Amino acid sequence: GPDPLITEIQPWAQGLGDGVDATPYGLPIRFEGDVVRRNVGWLTADTISSINFTPIHALDGTITPQGCAFERHHSGAIELAKEDYRLMINGLVETPLIFTYADLERFPRETRTFFLECAANTGMEWAGSQLNGAQFTHGMIHNMEYTGVPLRLLLEEAGVKPEGKWVLVEGADASSNGRSIPLEKAMDDCLVAFKANGEALRKEHGYPVRLCVPGWEGNMWIKWLRRIEVGDQPWEQREETSKYTDTLADGTSRKWTWVMDAKSVVTSPSPQMPIKHGPGPLVITGLAWSGRGAITRVDVTVDGGKSWMPARLAAPGQEMAVSRFYLDHVWDGSEMLVQSRAIDSTGYVQPTKTELRDIRGLNSIYHNNCIQTWWVKANGEAENVEIS
Amino acid sequence: EKLGLGRAALPEELAAWDHDVRPDGLGLPEGSGDVLTGEELFSEHCAVCHGEFAEGVDNWPKLAGGMGTLDRDDPLKTVGSYWPYLSTTWDYVHRSMPFGNAQSLSDDDVYAIVAYILYSNDLVDDDFVLSKENFTEVELPNAGGFIIDDRDTTELPLFIREPCMTDCKETVEITAHATVLDVTPNDTTDDAPAAGAAEAATAEDPAPEVAVAEAAPEAAPEAAVEVAAEAPAQTAAADPELVAAGEKVFKKCAACHKVGEGAKNAVGPVLNGIVGRTAGTVEGFKYSKPMQDAGAGGLVWTPEELSGYLADPKTYLPKNKMSFAGLKKDSDLEAVIAYLSTLGQ
């Protein structure tokens, strides 16, 4: 019969909506209240030193809204006002300097879009399929448009001495989260950012100032950046020795594994995004990114990798930024083993989990960029599985 | 070309923020600390999360043990088994610990605590004194266990390739299912039915911090079973061998609990006559509210009750003061209770 939503006059078509200023800073409409960050309680001892996950399954496009971009804190998200903010540059420089927030705003500025992926993203999946949802398997990532000052300009202002080869970057929070970065990277594309997606950084992402280290693991993107020291050797701090190192099967561990390899994931359909419409036209979509360059192509399979189809990129890939892909598929209603495979501008093709395990074993924890499999059943529900 | 922005940093400002320490000792301040002082400081400031013996409480990081496990399933990564440089420990304790009260320890305190962490890993004797002078002489066991990122040679040649598009494999089988483990949090889909509860499934294993990933699927059910392990049956007659074994187990308790003639309350209450005593009744000891309430409610430390408590103190009596992770082996429980039974008033 006729649809009462059409044939009957609805309240929203008759009455009035909210006036302007009802919500001076807008939030998503209440119907989208489940598109939120979530954590996994058993992973960590306390939420103060923990992580949550971006709801990538429910988002589209490429830009992650700040309000649902994942958080990772080592000693909690601190509140640091712009007027209390100081940035120190010291060590092997001609003049150790102090900058205020207002000083930073006077340097020439850049705006660029970068992904930030935690090195532990997908880490729970090394030993086997464990978490059932793209949010949990791949949600330690966000992609934002940052505005800030090239780190190179700040270092040049202080004058790096010839013997300077490394910089130590650290935050103002109790964890300080120190990391050593080669001077070459610091002078290349690192950004001292104070805006994301056009507005101030959120507290949980390091307000008022964080470091962007494009293409490199998220732990290096120091939040509440307060000090940069130039030195002639790396510092070997906690976050680059005891953590964020990759233990191989023989017990030795890789260190300085900074670059995030090419990776992709189908965000829908997926365990949190079952197919509800039955057979027929189906949009298969997902995200792809590479720390080594731009995404040039993404392939999708629905038969577990027997055959692949090139997906459509929403826009040409950008260096160190997330790409959105779509495969406009006609689903016959039978079960599928859905995967995506990213290819970047270096020619690197995202490997299978088996291929990575053959090289790295099961104890790597970090840097799992393997192909992900969703088993989509005939009823449209999907599950995280591994396949032969 | 310089813009002339910012101002020169003052020496006092550099001194206030420039605390980092490198493996070659650069940045270490004058000072020293010994193991025994470190043990007291550790008990006071660190044990609530890391355990009296640096063995870790709940999901908080274990700082000791794990030697020889790095090439096994689920390696245990501690300062002793994994960390390559002692300077990292000094630097981190000095700047970021204790959790929630960072930068409150003196330089000497930090030397002492780091000395105790070495001791808890059996790397130094109990008369060891760590100082700026001997610091770089300490080499940690896994110092040689790291290689610089070699993906350029071990992986890129394999993965920079022409991808297969058709007839890539003949058959495909599902080999693992996430739903078997059932560790995904509830209520995560837009409107799909909730997955089963799985909290606490990996209390034994999960990585400290987000390393997380170490939570091997297989470990989850085991850990749950272990926590639920039943208390061993008690025998009335004291078996001398069992008592002797229990005295050894009791070393884990002795840092906090004194026993024998003239024993006084310490971090924990005196345990003379503990078996058969009403909970929370040792004179002069300041018990937690839950322990006082339990005693007022009639809890008596029978061997059965002690066994339940010592197996998992935090679950048995939530929010009690004892920062001990619990005895995981039934044989240890049985033995230590047999030993405690021999202690008179």
Side-chain angles (χ1 to χ4, degrees), chain A residues 82-276:
Chain A
K82 281 179 186 169
E83 54 267 32
D84 295 336
Y85 179 78
R86 301 290 184 273
L87 175 61
M88 176 185 288
I89 299 188
N90 70 314
L92 297 175
V93 294
E94 288 157 17
T95 315
L97 290 176
I98 304 289
F99 299 112
T100 63
Y101 184 88
D103 292 332
L104 295 183
E105 288 186 309
R106 297 173 66 192
F107 279 91
R109 217 175 288 170
E110 288 184 3
T111 289
R112 290 191 61 190
T113 300
F114 301 122
F115 76 83
L116 182 167
E117 184 184 18
C118 176
N121 198 21
T122 320
M124 287 84 80
E125 305 294 308
W126 270 115
S129 301
Q130 183 159 234
L131 288 163
N132 211 29
Q135 180 170 19
F136 301 107
T137 57
H138 288 77
M140 295 182 194
I141 187 164
H142 53 63
N143 189 65
M144 302 200 214
E145 183 195 72
Y146 294 95
T147 301
V149 181
L151 176 54
R152 174 179 53 83
L153 296 182
L154 302 181
L155 288 169
E156 285 174 353
E157 192 71 16
V160 176
K161 292 183 177 174
E163 58 268 38
K165 299 292 178 228
W166 293 80
V167 297
L168 174 70
V169 286
E170 64 181 32
D173 62 322
S175 83
S176 83
N177 201 84
R179 291 292 308 250
S180 307
I181 298 177
L183 185 67
E184 191 181 12
K185 177 71 173 176
M187 299 297 272
D188 181 17
D189 58 2
C190 291
L191 197 65
V192 176
F194 39 77
K195 293 281 170 67
N197 299 344
E199 61 181 353
L201 293 167
R202 294 288 164 87
K203 177 173 87 169
E204 61 268 35
H205 300 132
Y207 179 94
V209 176
R210 88 171 307 165
L211 184 65
C212 299
V213 189
W216 289 19
E217 60 189 15
N219 183 264
M220 306 176 90
W221 295 47
I222 306 304
K223 299 191 287 188
W224 313 290
L225 180 69
R226 87 165 189 184
R227 195 171 70 95
I228 300 161
E229 180 174 349
V230 179
D232 59 356
Q233 291 174 35
W235 280 261
E236 306 284 4
Q237 299 237 312
R238 177 178 182 269
E239 303 295 324
E240 52 202 11
T241 53
S242 82
K243 306 290 172 189
Y244 302 95
T245 46
D246 311 288
T247 301
L248 304 170
D250 68 358
T252 60
S253 303
R254 288 175 176 166
K255 66 175 186 177
W256 304 356
T257 43
W258 303 307
V259 182
M260 302 305 292
D261 287 316
K263 184 167 172 179
S264 69
V265 63
V266 170
T267 52
S268 179
S270 65
Q272 293 160 286
M273 295 294 280
I275 304 170
K276 296 174 189 163

Side-chain angles (χ1 to χ4, degrees), chain B residues 322-335:
Chain B
M322 190 159 80
S323 65
F324 181 57
L327 293 169
K328 298 303 173 206
K329 289 185 192 164
D330 289 353
S331 56
D332 285 352
L333 282 167
E334 194 181 357

Side-chain angles (χ1 to χ4, degrees), chain A residues 246-254 359-363, chain B residues 68-72 142 145 147:
Chain A
D246 311 288
T247 301
L248 304 170
D250 68 358
T252 60
S253 303
R254 288 175 176 166
I359 298 169
R360 306 187 197 170
L362 296 178
N363 290 328
Chain B
T69 66
L70 297 180
D71 59 352
R72 299 185 201 159
N142 198 40
I147 56 170

